[in-house]
């Protein structure tokens, strides 16, 4: 299989990540549940992972809440914030959200509590995005949920500037870093009060890992979503008022986080230049093929403002059909709406969807050439 | 006698242990009766009493809340 679906999950995982998981499965008991060696092995696995997250994303270890993916982190962050607010308020979003954000905001439970406004992030002009965002901030806006990069077309938005504008207006920022963690700079504070990210995409950690990173200067109270055993304060009927235990109830997946810890340690060893080179190559080649429309892609010279994701369609053929046909030839891409109808609406592809290819570690120019050959055959065939 | 700092969670205990180790202070995790009497499900970090003052200062300077302090016999 030639894998071009890193936006879904990063593959392959390294042997050392796999070994870290396997080793932890042999030795880790239930973390935080005792002083026996197995439980403490589990404690070390979790703490070491938090420590690596804290170094990578500029946070205190205890403020790195371990989750199973970005979606869970976003649920904790967004619902935690909404539930903490006594009065109704407005929320700003960009228009490029994944369903992990929009489905929460559309939840009937919040119908009478929040009003959601789209500030319209501009695909090609950061100045317009920043201006639209500033103009959209009214006194009743308390929360902005920012998509760092679109999972559909890859555009990386000017989050740092938006966070400054939000901070000046006392607006809390929750950032969806699903497509940028491991690809470009992400840090709590300058990129958002609360960052939600996956361990399993471009950090190349195991599936079932993610984190909600809360900046140490964030003074708000987030209500917990999950209630249960935390290994501490058992006689207190409420969840603890300190991190991370406030958000981590039940048995934690210590082996998976041991794997994520290893993935974070080895992240620096990987050179990003091959991915950039292949991204530019595929953009150029796809733009040259008659019968292909590339959607929401950068102009030449602007590739660094995009995550390595390309959305395209083959004239006269459905996106699912083409993705399946490519899969039959051994190429892993993804067709359809990518759980982000909002983004497709913003791109004008809500009716058709699109075929998404995403480049990552392990991809080569030869693989990219083979993919172009296969796509060219789909056009002529 | 050893000093046992009672901390609020395993995460803070692990953080404290790593911090003390960085500064050359060995420590050991415990959930003894003395610890449980101060904080039912808390974790204790045991240090040699000679290191008590420095350990306490390091933890306070690094945002680690100490729920209580007790003593235990050295092994």
């Amino acid at each position: 299989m030639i894998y071009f679906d890193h936006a879904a999950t990063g593959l392959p995982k390294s042997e050392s990540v796999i070994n870290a998981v396997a080793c932890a499965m042999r030795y880790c008991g239930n973390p935080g549940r005792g002083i026996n060696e197995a439980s403490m092995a589990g404690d070390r696995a979790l703490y070491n992972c938090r420590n690596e997250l804290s170094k990578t994303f500029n946070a205190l270890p205890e403020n790195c809440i371990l989750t199973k993916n970005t979606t869970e982190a976003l649920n904790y962050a967004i619902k935690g914030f909404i539930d903490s607010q006594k009065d109704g308020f407005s929320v700003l979003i960009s228009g490029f959200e994944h369903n992990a954000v929009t489905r929460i905001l559309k939840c009937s439970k919040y119908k009478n509590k929040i009003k959601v406004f789209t500030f319209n992030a501009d695909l090609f002009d950061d100045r317009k995005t920043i201006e639209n965002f500033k103009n959209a901030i009214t006194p009743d806006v308390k929360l902005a949920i920012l998509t760092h990069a679109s999972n559909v077309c890859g555009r990386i938005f000017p989050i740092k500037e938006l966070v400054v504008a939000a901070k000046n207006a006392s607006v809390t920022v929750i950032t969806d870093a699903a497509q940028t963690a491991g690809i470009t700079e992400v840090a709590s504070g300058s990129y958002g009060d609360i960052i939600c990210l996956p361990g399993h995409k471009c950090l190349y950690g195991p599936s079932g890992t993610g984190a909600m990173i809360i900046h140490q200067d964030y003074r708000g109270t987030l209500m917990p979503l999950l209630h249960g055993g935390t290994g501490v304060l058992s006689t207190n009927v409420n969840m603890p008022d300190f991190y991370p235990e406030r958000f981590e109830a039940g048995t934690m997946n210590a082996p998976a986080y041991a794997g994520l810890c290893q993935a974070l340690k080895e992240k620096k060893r990987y050179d990003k230049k091959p991915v950039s080179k292949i991204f530019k190559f595929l953009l150029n080649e796809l733009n040259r093929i008659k019968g292909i429309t590339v959607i929401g892609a950068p102009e030449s010279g602007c590739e660094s403002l995009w995550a390595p994701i390309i959305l395209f369609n083959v004239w006269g053929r459905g996106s699912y059909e083409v993705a399946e046909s490519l899969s039959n030839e051994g190429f892993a891409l993804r067709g359809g709406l990518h759980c982000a109808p909002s983004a497709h609406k913003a791109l004008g592809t809500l009716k058709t969807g699109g075929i998404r290819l995403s480049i990552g570690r392990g991809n080569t120019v030869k693989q990219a050439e083979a993919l172009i050959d296969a796509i060219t055959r789909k056009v002529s065939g | 006698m050893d000093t046992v700092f009672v901390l609020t969670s395993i995460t803070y205990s692990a953080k404290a242990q790593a911090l003390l180790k960085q500064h050359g202070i060995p420590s050991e995790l415990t959930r003894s009766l003395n610890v449980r009497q101060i904080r039912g499900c808390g974790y204790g970090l045991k240090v040699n009493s000679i290191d008590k003052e420095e350990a306490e200062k390091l933890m306070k300077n690094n945002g680690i809340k100490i729920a209580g302090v007790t003593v235990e016999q050295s092994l």
Side-chain angles (χ1 to χ4, degrees):
Chain A
M1 177 181 63
I2 295 179
Y3 192 78
F4 278 108
D5 200 17
H6 300 268
T9 199
L11 277 181
K13 314 298 183 191
S14 72
E15 281 306 306
S16 50
V17 165
I18 294 168
N19 290 339
V21 174
C23 181
M25 286 196 75
R26 289 191 187 97
Y27 298 112
C28 288
N30 196 334
R33 299 299 189 271
I35 209 75
N36 59 74
E37 195 48 48
S39 180
M40 284 166 61
D43 295 332
R44 283 192 294 274
L46 296 194
Y47 185 76
N48 290 341
C49 183
R50 291 186 217 283
N51 204 29
E52 289 300 320
L53 285 166
S54 77
K55 287 189 278 187
T56 308
F57 299 108
N58 183 43
L60 297 172
E62 59 268 32
N63 284 23
C64 298
I65 316 301
L66 301 173
T67 66
K68 65 174 187 278
N69 45 42
T70 316
T71 296
E72 186 170 83
L74 284 165
N75 269 266
Y76 287 166
I78 300 170
K79 289 177 179 173
F81 183 90
I82 297 174
D83 289 344
S84 75
Q85 301 298 303
K86 217 174 84 179
D87 301 318
F89 62 96
S90 294
V91 181
L92 289 184
I93 55 174
S94 67
F96 281 85
E97 283 64 39
H98 186 279
N99 273 344
V101 172
T102 44
R103 281 182 171 168
I104 297 172
L105 299 176
K106 293 280 184 214
C107 183
S108 59
K109 184 178 155 187
Y110 298 126
K111 196 170 64 168
N112 296 325
K113 194 165 184 186
I114 58 169
K115 288 186 186 150
V116 182
F117 296 97
T118 303
F119 67 86
N120 291 323
D122 191 282
L123 205 54
F124 299 104
D125 190 338
D126 281 352
R127 287 168 305 176
K128 281 190 186 158
T129 298
I130 296 163
E131 198 185 323
N132 290 347
F133 182 71
K134 284 179 179 172
N135 290 341
I137 297 176
T138 53
D140 57 322
V141 171
K142 295 277 176 271
L143 178 65
I145 305 167
L146 304 179
T147 299
H148 194 178
S150 167
N151 73 309
V152 172
C153 68
R155 177 58 155 112
I156 300 172
F157 293 109
I159 296 295
K160 278 181 107 169
E161 289 85 349
L162 299 182
V163 167
V164 168
K167 203 166 184 173
N168 289 340
S170 303
V171 172
T172 297
V173 175
I174 295 172
T175 300
D176 175 355
Q179 299 299 332
T180 48
I183 289 183
T184 189
E185 189 194 10
V186 176
S188 80
S190 49
Y191 285 80
D193 298 294
I194 302 164
I195 311 276
C196 300
L197 56 94
H200 67 96
K201 290 187 200 284
C202 291
L203 291 172
Y204 293 87
S207 286
T209 61
M212 173 173 72
I213 315 273
I214 304 171
H215 191 246
Q216 63 204 52
D217 292 341
Y218 177 66
R219 295 279 173 254
T221 302
L222 296 175
M223 300 306 285
L225 191 64
L226 212 59
H227 293 76
T230 54
V232 290
L233 297 179
S234 294
T235 53
N236 191 335
V237 296
N238 297 314
M239 289 297 282
D241 61 1
F242 48 84
Y243 305 135
E245 282 78 6
R246 184 167 179 76
F247 291 97
E248 294 181 0
T251 300
M252 297 293 287
N253 189 347
Y257 297 118
L260 176 57
C261 179
Q262 180 59 29
L264 286 161
K265 281 180 186 169
E266 62 188 36
K267 188 175 78 71
K268 288 173 212 126
R269 287 188 229 150
Y270 289 93
D271 183 7
K272 289 181 186 158
K273 288 193 202 117
V275 170
S276 300
K277 187 179 165 188
I278 295 166
F279 182 45
K280 286 177 191 171
F281 170 78
L282 284 168
L283 277 169
N284 286 339
E285 292 299 307
L286 285 170
N287 277 318
R288 287 187 327 132
I289 303 172
K290 193 178 170 187
I292 294 276
T293 304
V294 179
I295 303 130
E299 289 162 5
S300 177
C302 295
E303 295 88 355
S304 63
L305 297 177
W306 263 254
I309 293 172
I310 304 173
L311 186 74
F312 67 95
N313 273 317
V314 175
W315 298 356
R317 297 183 73 174
S319 65
Y320 284 113
E321 179 206 334
V322 174
E324 190 180 340
S325 176
L326 287 167
S327 174
N328 292 337
E329 290 193 40
F331 295 95
L333 280 73
R334 184 179 172 189
L337 292 177
H338 314 98
C339 299
S342 300
H344 280 281
K345 188 177 174 188
L347 293 166
T349 50
L350 187 57
K351 284 194 177 148
T352 58
I355 305 141
R356 180 188 72 185
L357 76 90
S358 43
I359 305 135
R361 192 189 292 174
N363 285 135
T364 63
V365 173
K366 264 206 162 123
Q367 288 176 343
E369 286 167 350
L371 177 63
I372 291 296
D373 284 343
I375 292 170
T376 307
R377 285 196 300 279
K378 304 304 160 210
V379 172
S380 49
Chain B
M1 295 291 270
D2 288 334
T3 299
V4 180
F5 294 100
V6 180
L7 304 175
T8 51
S9 73
I10 184 59
T11 305
Y12 279 111
S13 304
K15 182 175 178 178
Q17 193 166 43
L19 175 69
L20 296 186
K21 187 179 175 184
Q22 234 180 319
H23 287 83
I25 300 174
S27 64
E28 191 186 314
L29 284 172
T30 174
R31 278 191 123 171
S32 64
L33 180 62
N34 287 353
V35 170
R36 293 200 308 275
Q37 280 173 343
I38 291 177
R39 192 165 174 107
C41 301
Y43 282 79
L45 199 61
K46 187 174 5 180
V47 302
N48 190 304
S49 290
I50 298 169
D51 298 319
K52 181 193 172 198
E53 268 179 43
E54 198 192 338
E56 189 167 0
K57 190 176 157 193
L58 280 167
M59 285 189 276
K60 282 186 175 164
N61 288 346
N62 284 274
I64 296 168
K65 288 178 206 162
I66 299 170
V69 184
T70 183
V71 291
E72 277 178 18
Q73 287 283 2
S74 308
L75 288 173

